[in-house]
Amino acid sequence: HWIGYRFDEEGTMMLRAGRMNLPFGIRDVFHTLTIRTGTRTNIDDEQQHGVAFSYSGNNLRAEIMGILGNFQIRPDDYRERGYSGYVEWAPNTSIAAGLSSRIAHVSLDPVSLTPMFRHAHGLFGRWASPWKPLVMLGEVDYILDSPKNLPRSAGTQAMLQADIEPWQGIHYQLMGEAGNFGP
């Protein structure tokens, strides 16, 4: 749930406030992917309350969100605060590439019971092949979880997806993930 205000008729700039998906990387329905859980940006239980500003022009899209925390979590010390955002450039309708960044702090991590900073920064892209049914999506992220007075967990996570749509509405997807995120 969110409420928004469009600054112009075309909707190129919008300000929203409420509970939203974090603007980060490839948005996908596969919320259980390791890359989504590692970056804490899935579209299911990682939604956060906050304020977001988005821009969507002809070749450039961007969104930045101030994270105020998930108000469904109690106590307040368990809520993450920070920012999440992306910028994406699409020189034509067949290819797009972008950068994502997310930094959040939690006063008391529910697992380690210590304060923690969480970072995720990465690259993502989409490519529509000359063979119209095939679209490729990919993302690579560096992830760092830094609890106070405990060892850090750091590493990379990547995903690559081939999406084939032989008939409109029928998709076959082949996806792979790789990574080395951990202590």
Side-chain angles (χ1 to χ4, degrees):
H1 60 269
W2 54 266
I3 188 167
Y5 175 76
R6 289 190 318 192
F7 288 93
D8 56 2
E9 288 296 318
E10 295 81 33
T12 57
M13 292 186 289
M14 179 181 256
L15 184 66
R16 299 184 299 156
R19 185 167 191 238
M20 301 171 277
N21 298 326
L22 295 176
F24 189 95
I26 301 287
R27 294 187 186 184
D28 203 306
V29 295
F30 300 109
H31 61 89
T32 57
L33 290 174
T34 305
I35 200 163
R36 293 284 66 91
T37 57
T39 59
R40 302 176 68 86
T41 58
N42 71 43
I43 62 171
D44 188 29
D45 63 338
E46 298 295 341
Q47 293 180 340
Q48 299 281 353
H49 289 85
V51 177
F53 176 78
S54 64
Y55 172 81
S56 184
N58 289 335
N59 300 96
L60 185 70
R61 290 183 334 134
E63 186 170 358
I64 185 80
M65 178 177 170
I67 301 169
L68 301 176
N70 183 348
F71 295 154
Q72 295 174 330
I73 295 175
R74 304 251 188 300
D76 184 65
D77 287 345
Y78 289 161
R79 295 183 187 138
E80 289 188 356
R81 292 186 170 77
Y83 80 89
S84 184
Y86 74 89
V87 61
E88 179 185 63
W89 179 60
N92 59 52
T93 58
S94 298
I95 193 163
L99 303 167
S100 297
S101 181
R102 177 183 185 278
I103 297 178
H105 175 266
V106 62
S107 296
L108 187 62
D109 179 69
V111 176
S112 67
L113 299 177
T114 63
M116 183 178 303
F117 275 96
R118 294 188 172 106
H119 294 248
H121 311 283
L123 306 168
F124 63 93
R126 290 186 273 278
W127 174 65
S129 75
W131 183 53
K132 190 173 180 168
L134 175 65
V135 174
M136 300 292 293
L137 307 153
E139 182 175 343
V140 177
D141 297 315
Y142 174 75
I143 305 167
L144 171 67
D145 286 352
S146 181
K148 185 175 183 179
N149 300 322
L150 291 173
R152 294 177 173 186
S153 294
T156 58
Q157 196 66 40
M159 65 84 87
L160 183 63
Q161 175 184 6
D163 185 327
I164 299 173
E165 186 180 19
W167 301 279
Q168 186 173 1
I170 305 294
H171 291 261
Y172 295 98
Q173 296 177 332
L174 178 63
M175 183 181 303
E177 284 193 287
N180 67 349
F181 178 69

